[in-house]
Amino acid sequence: MAESVSYENDGQYNHLRTTLPVPMFSRSDFNIWSVLKNCIGKELSKITMPVVFNEPLSFLQRMTEYMEYAKLLRIASEQSDPIERLKYVSAFAVSALASNWERLGKPFNPLLGETYELTRPEFRIICEQVSHHPPISAFHADSESFSFHGSIHPKLKFWGKSVEIQPKGTVTVEFPKLGEAYSWCNVNCCVHNIIVGKLWIEQYGMMDVVSHKNGLKATLNFKTAGVGNKDLHRVEGYISDRNKRKTHFLYGKWTEFIKCTDYTSYEEYCKENGYKFKRADERSKSPNESPGTTPRKVLSKLNSLKMSSFKSLSISEPDDPPEPSEGDIPKSDSTYSIDIPNSVSLWEAEARPGNTAEYYQFTNFAMSLNQLEDHMKQPRALCPTDSRLRPDIRKLEQGDMDGAAAEKTRLEEKQRENRKKSKKGDDGGLFPRWFKHTINPHTKQEDWIYQGGYWERTDDTLELDIF
């Protein structure tokens, strides 16, 4: 029987589970290469994956894991200095990626109109699948001190040895009482060793957290592992003011922690420890290596393949994924640990449960996301489109692999039928129901903005049959 974890001063959350009903099914007898070998360069959202490669969560639930460290936004809202607020917002942006480490299961693709709600002491959030082609998931979280919203259009591509996930879309944090807004785009994720070796995950790319009111910006570099895995998980960056003067240095690992120090202390530290910041592969850069660390001979070989579906891997393409290493999961080289004087810790990841390897590498937060909590079992307590009510996810969670596969197929066929009705206008244009496609007032870009009304809904008699 699952154990429970308590939330102080909130009896509603006294019985959140810290395990799943049964351990995950072993994937050792299944070869993902057998599924992906004909998909090089293709958009993977259109590829049907066997259910054994899934984890028992919808992408809407997985997206909710942004909020695991929502307390950082509350702390940010309590700071009187705008630079201090930006520090904690930046730490929150990094913390949202921490649960990805070693999470190799693919979440279920949400159905059009599918929703997911979650309420915790620090926030409440509503998510909706607002588009099926292309797949777009929108969310809106709020509390007494902040709101956090955005829309994600994930793109997955197979590159021969690795799968790259590009989380297209912008996310926005607002502090209504301060009249402030911050926005950023998440970095890419790469799953290595698809063909040979143990799978492992890398986050990489640049992230700019912009304060729209104060002209401040945090520029964060999520580094690739590099030679000898010196930079595995490392994040480094700086805060600059409206005059582009660097005021603070941010550093840490997206899997563990983020610290901050003033820029002068960082510069002094670099005088004696510069080797910790200069990459080994930059010091010995070979003329036969591309800027994306992919050897030219590999690019030449891949580009010579006669496949109409194969995307050209030009060495000048900024989105080229880093060349994966083979073998075991890499470990960070502690020789290059960094602890700069005058540093302040902004965020530390919570330890995962001891049984995490048996349960899809879930964090404690993730363990409860598909749980039907006691108050949800009341009639009409949940919206009938909530992810917790999906039978394929529920069966996988319970260890019924065949049942999950059958339900997954049934739901996909049902969604195709619903799309036919939608094209004929038979569904009354019901979906999306809670979000509207419009312009984000802060980024001035197209976005899906929450229209309100979900938490106050009273039309429980409306038939919403997507499952």
Side-chain angles (χ1 to χ4, degrees):
M1 185 174 179
E3 300 174 3
S4 63
V5 60
S6 296
Y7 283 84
E8 294 181 1
N9 303 321
D10 204 320
Q12 185 172 330
Y13 308 106
N14 284 341
H15 303 288
L16 296 182
R17 66 189 185 186
T18 55
T19 63
L20 301 184
V22 298
M24 64 181 288
F25 191 85
S26 174
R27 300 187 181 116
S28 58
D29 295 332
F30 295 86
N31 183 0
I32 194 171
W33 169 244
S34 64
V35 180
L36 296 179
K37 61 184 177 182
N38 297 319
C39 307
I40 296 179
K42 291 182 180 179
E43 167 58 62
L44 291 189
S45 64
K46 300 178 181 178
I47 305 300
T48 299
M49 297 288 287
V51 73
V52 70
F53 295 117
N54 283 92
E55 63 178 19
L57 291 176
S58 164
F59 181 73
L60 298 183
Q61 293 167 303
R62 183 74 178 261
M63 189 166 61
T64 303
E65 294 185 59
Y66 277 143
M67 304 305 297
E68 181 169 1
Y69 298 98
K71 65 181 181 181
L72 294 173
L73 294 182
R74 174 181 54 78
I75 294 172
S77 72
E78 295 168 350
Q79 307 303 307
S80 59
D81 185 341
I83 289 182
E84 292 298 312
R85 292 196 288 273
L86 179 55
K87 288 180 185 179
Y88 283 100
V89 172
S90 300
F92 172 78
V94 176
S95 75
L97 305 177
S99 67
N100 289 343
W101 176 237
E102 297 187 318
R103 289 280 290 281
L104 300 171
K106 179 183 179 296
F108 283 74
N109 294 332
L111 304 171
L112 180 62
E114 183 176 334
T115 60
Y116 181 70
E117 67 172 72
L118 187 71
T119 301
R120 291 292 182 263
E122 290 277 5
F123 67 91
R124 66 180 184 179
I125 185 171
I126 168 62
C127 311
E128 182 179 15
Q129 189 69 6
V130 296
S131 174
H132 182 59
H133 289 301
I136 303 176
S137 307
F139 68 90
H140 180 92
D142 57 41
S143 75
E144 294 181 356
S145 56
F146 68 84
S147 69
F148 176 52
H149 56 88
S151 53
I152 306 297
H153 174 196
K155 286 184 174 292
L156 287 75
K157 288 194 174 180
F158 177 46
W159 295 97
K161 292 182 180 180
S162 61
V163 170
E164 182 185 41
I165 301 100
Q166 301 173 348
K168 302 289 186 179
T170 302
V171 297
T172 303
V173 166
E174 297 183 45
F175 297 131
K177 295 178 182 178
L178 300 172
E180 284 186 350
Y182 303 75
S183 64
W184 65 91
C185 298
N186 285 314
V187 296
N188 291 344
C189 177
C190 190
V191 181
H192 292 298
N193 295 341
I194 295 297
I195 303 175
V196 157
K198 295 182 179 180
L199 299 176
W200 64 280
I201 285 178
E202 185 171 28
Q203 305 269 180
Y204 61 92
M206 301 298 296
M207 175 189 288
D208 290 332
V209 182
V210 178
S211 171
H212 295 280
K213 179 179 179 180
N214 300 302
L216 303 172
K217 181 169 70 171
T219 302
L220 300 170
N221 180 11
F222 290 70
K223 296 191 171 187
T224 55
V227 175
N229 303 316
K230 169 191 167 184
D231 290 329
L232 183 66
H233 305 156
R234 274 175 62 173
V235 181
E236 293 175 6
Y238 54 86
I239 291 176
S240 54
D241 61 21
R242 63 174 64 253
N243 297 317
K244 298 183 179 182
R245 181 179 65 90
K246 297 175 182 178
T247 62
H248 292 80
F249 182 72
L250 298 163
Y251 67 99
K253 296 182 179 182
W254 58 267
T255 53
E256 298 179 33
F257 67 92
I258 287 294
K259 294 182 179 181
C260 183
T261 187
D262 63 275
Y263 208 77
T264 300
S265 294
Y266 161 68
E267 291 180 314
E268 289 296 322
Y269 183 82
C270 281
K271 291 178 181 179
E272 297 183 0
N273 301 275
Y275 69 95
K276 294 184 178 182
F277 298 92
K278 189 173 183 180
R279 293 183 59 132
D281 50 342
E282 290 175 349
R283 293 196 299 267
S284 58
K285 194 95 172 176
S286 166
N288 292 322
E289 291 183 0
S290 73
T293 73
T294 304
R296 289 180 184 271
K297 63 180 181 181
V298 174
L299 293 171
S300 298
K301 183 177 179 180
L302 292 175
N303 281 325
S304 68
L305 295 177
K306 302 299 183 181
M307 292 186 182
S308 59
S309 63
F310 190 82
K311 179 181 177 181
S312 174
L313 294 181
S314 166
I315 61 171
S316 63
E317 264 187 63
D319 288 334
D320 284 352
E323 178 68 10
S325 60
E326 297 178 358
D328 293 335
I329 299 174
K331 298 187 182 299
S332 182
D333 189 342
S334 59
T335 303
Y336 297 101
S337 61
I338 300 171
D339 191 8
I340 304 173
N342 303 317
S343 293
V344 174
S345 179
L346 300 174
W347 162 74
E348 290 185 10
E350 294 185 7
R352 295 193 183 188
N355 57 6
T356 183
E358 300 176 42
Y359 297 101
Y360 304 90
Q361 301 292 346
F362 279 5
T363 62
N364 275 317
F365 185 85
M367 289 286 189
S368 67
L369 292 181
N370 200 48
Q371 178 182 358
L372 276 169
E373 300 166 35
D374 289 342
H375 67 281
M376 298 175 180
K377 298 176 183 178
Q378 302 299 319
R380 299 177 180 175
L382 277 180
C383 190
T385 51
D386 194 276
S387 300
R388 297 176 184 86
L389 304 178
R390 278 188 63 159
D392 50 353
I393 295 178
R394 185 64 59 190
K395 285 183 178 296
L396 177 60
E397 180 183 276
Q398 295 168 345
D400 183 358
M401 192 68 61
D402 293 338
E407 286 292 344
K408 181 172 178 283
T409 299
R410 182 185 67 81
L411 289 177
E412 290 169 349
E413 292 175 351
K414 185 171 185 175
Q415 180 167 235
R416 282 191 284 271
E417 290 300 316
N418 288 341
R419 288 192 69 224
K420 291 179 182 178
K421 292 180 181 179
S422 177
K423 289 180 180 179
K424 294 179 181 179
D426 295 342
D427 68 345
L430 182 61
F431 303 121
R433 193 174 179 210
W434 307 109
F435 290 80
K436 182 179 180 180
H437 190 214
T438 184
I439 299 297
N440 184 315
H442 306 291
T443 65
K444 311 303 181 185
Q445 298 175 351
E446 292 185 356
D447 204 348
W448 287 86
I449 303 298
Y450 178 55
Q451 299 183 80
Y454 177 84
W455 303 104
E456 301 79 23
R457 66 190 186 281
T458 57
D459 55 347
D460 295 323
T461 58
L462 182 64
E463 291 294 330
L464 299 172
D465 183 19
I466 65 173
F467 302 143

